[in-house]
Amino acid sequence: RITSGDYDHGGSLAWTADGERIIFSVNRKEGWRDDPLESELWSVDVASGELVQLTDRDGPDFSPTISPDGSTIAYLGFDDQRMGYHNVNVYLMDTDDGSTRNLTDGFDRSIADVQWAGNSRLYIQYDDHGRRHIATLSMNGNIESVASDVGAVNIGRPYTSGGFSVAADGTYAYSAGRPDRPADVGTGRGSRTPSRITDLNEDLIGHKTLGQVEELTWRSADDDYDVQGWLVKPPGFAASEQYPLILEIHGGPFTAYGPHFSAEVQLFAAAGYVVLYTNPRGSTSYGARFANEIHHNYPNEDYDDLMAGVDAAIATGFVDENQLYVTGGSGGGVLTAWIVGNTDRFRAAVVAK
């Protein structure tokens, strides 16, 4: 053991190029238990256990990764503005003089991962409008999406999810999602269109008819936002018929749904329901302002976004407005309870988790 003390040393670990030190994330400040968001980057000498603090600001610094030549540390973090939601940025630190700069300042999305591809280019991961992207990030902050179908490793509900890995030559591998299958392995390089190299669930799902996933958007009740959602239709759907509808609400509340495979939603559709799931205000992948609409204001207008979505689904003509049902887990459970306390338009509700 090379660290000690009554602190939670954690997060991802990064070796320096010479193999003599490890970079990691920890909050070693007095009263650290009362500030669980806070963390700094530290390095520890593997032989001696000597600790050196590398960052010092009000806000978390985490997920360090070191360039192959050892000259630069890329890491994630943000300045804590005491808001419910913050966009996470990518920072670079010069290992010689300790200077830092923010590479993604002004990019109104949150970075979830950063990895090196050589010494002068990075790959990052972020969510936009319910889809997870892999993108290249240049040393001057230019961002170019190279894959927008990352997802579906969490197959219970249609959350944005998934990850990637970069080889030494810049080729990346990732979890390639689609609405009608759990993720496969995909690969790509540079700006070339990525391709899937596995078909892991064809033997299980290929002979089944799944519900079709279609995007649905509407204006919020206060006309401030376009709200995005998805309708999943029952197998054998006929537009001339009317179907019961289940509104399924995501948790978090700072998370997002997207056009991803979901065993639960497909089960509802197979039972004859149209399923509506959506990203009301407070959801991630639409920028900091949209997410922070629920800061000290939850639940509130996000309820109105959900009800407007139900109205938009009814307006399609194939939803029976007398057979509406609602459910959600965690934050979605909170909103489900809020809904049944504010309207009697739903015939039944399940408040989960």
Side-chain angles (χ1 to χ4, degrees):
R1 191 178 74 177
I2 57 174
T3 63
S4 61
D6 192 18
Y7 305 100
D8 185 15
H9 303 81
S12 56
L13 308 176
W15 288 91
T16 56
D18 57 15
E20 295 182 357
R21 304 186 73 88
I22 297 172
I23 314 297
F24 62 97
S25 179
V26 62
N27 182 357
R28 291 178 59 93
K29 296 178 179 178
E30 184 178 355
W32 65 272
R33 288 186 180 86
D34 299 324
D35 195 4
L37 185 67
E38 178 68 18
S39 64
E40 307 293 349
L41 293 187
W42 289 70
S43 73
V44 60
D45 186 281
V46 175
S48 68
E50 176 199 20
L51 287 168
V52 176
Q53 185 173 343
L54 303 179
T55 62
D56 185 15
R57 65 158 168 187
D58 187 7
D61 294 312
F62 56 97
S63 296
T65 180
I66 303 177
S67 61
D69 64 6
S71 67
T72 310
I73 302 172
Y75 62 99
L76 303 178
F78 59 83
D79 294 318
D80 188 1
Q81 302 297 320
R82 305 298 190 269
M83 299 296 291
Y85 173 84
H86 298 81
N87 280 333
V88 175
N89 288 298
V90 176
Y91 294 84
L92 296 183
M93 175 184 290
D94 188 298
T95 56
D96 287 334
D97 60 20
S99 61
T100 64
R101 60 190 178 101
N102 185 346
L103 266 190
T104 56
D105 189 28
F107 181 61
D108 192 19
R109 295 295 184 268
S110 190
I111 311 301
D113 193 6
V114 57
Q115 299 182 33
W116 287 97
N119 295 307
S120 60
R121 186 173 60 164
L122 295 160
Y123 278 90
I124 59 173
Q125 181 175 284
Y126 64 89
D127 295 342
D128 179 60
H129 286 79
R131 292 183 179 271
R132 179 153 292 184
H133 291 248
I134 298 169
T136 58
L137 174 62
S138 70
M139 294 298 98
N140 62 8
N142 183 57
I143 297 171
E144 182 179 352
S145 175
V146 296
S148 60
D149 60 340
V150 185
V153 295
N154 179 352
I155 66 171
R157 290 175 176 174
Y159 285 106
T160 55
S161 60
F164 73 101
S165 178
V166 181
D169 66 356
T171 302
Y172 60 89
Y174 71 106
S175 53
R178 48 191 269 194
D180 61 347
R181 293 289 190 280
D184 279 294
V185 177
T187 63
R189 186 175 182 182
S191 59
R192 292 183 296 186
T193 301
S195 60
R196 288 177 172 82
I197 61 173
T198 64
D199 193 6
L200 299 174
N201 288 282
E202 179 62 23
D203 58 341
L204 174 68
I205 302 177
H207 61 283
K208 292 180 170 64
T209 302
L210 272 65
Q212 185 175 355
V213 180
E214 297 182 357
E215 184 177 341
L216 181 70
T217 60
W218 57 92
R219 290 298 290 177
S220 61
D222 55 16
D223 204 37
D224 283 347
Y225 297 105
D226 287 324
V227 182
Q228 186 180 30
W230 291 267
L231 282 176
V232 184
K233 299 174 180 178
F237 170 82
S240 59
E241 297 183 16
Q242 287 205 317
Y243 297 87
L245 179 136
I246 295 177
L247 171 64
E248 210 286 336
I249 309 170
H250 73 63
F254 296 122
T255 52
Y257 276 161
H260 312 300
F261 178 80
S262 166
E264 178 179 300
V265 169
Q266 289 293 338
L267 193 65
F268 290 154
Y273 293 88
V274 168
V275 183
L276 171 65
Y277 63 88
T278 177
N279 289 331
R281 68 190 68 199
S283 302
T284 55
S285 79
Y286 303 91
R289 180 190 169 196
F290 188 83
N292 278 319
E293 283 288 322
I294 63 170
H295 177 69
H296 294 171
N297 188 36
Y298 169 79
N300 204 326
E301 286 87 0
D302 44 346
Y303 161 83
D304 298 319
D305 293 344
L306 294 168
M307 294 305 98
V310 172
D311 293 338
I314 293 172
T316 62
F318 51 77
V319 169
D320 183 351
E321 62 182 318
N322 295 312
Q323 293 193 74
L324 304 178
Y325 305 89
V326 59
T327 188
S330 190
V334 172
L335 275 164
T336 301
W338 185 265
I339 284 169
V340 298
N342 280 276
T343 180
D344 59 2
R345 70 188 304 189
F346 296 93
R347 296 186 62 178
V350 174
V351 174
K353 296 179 283 187

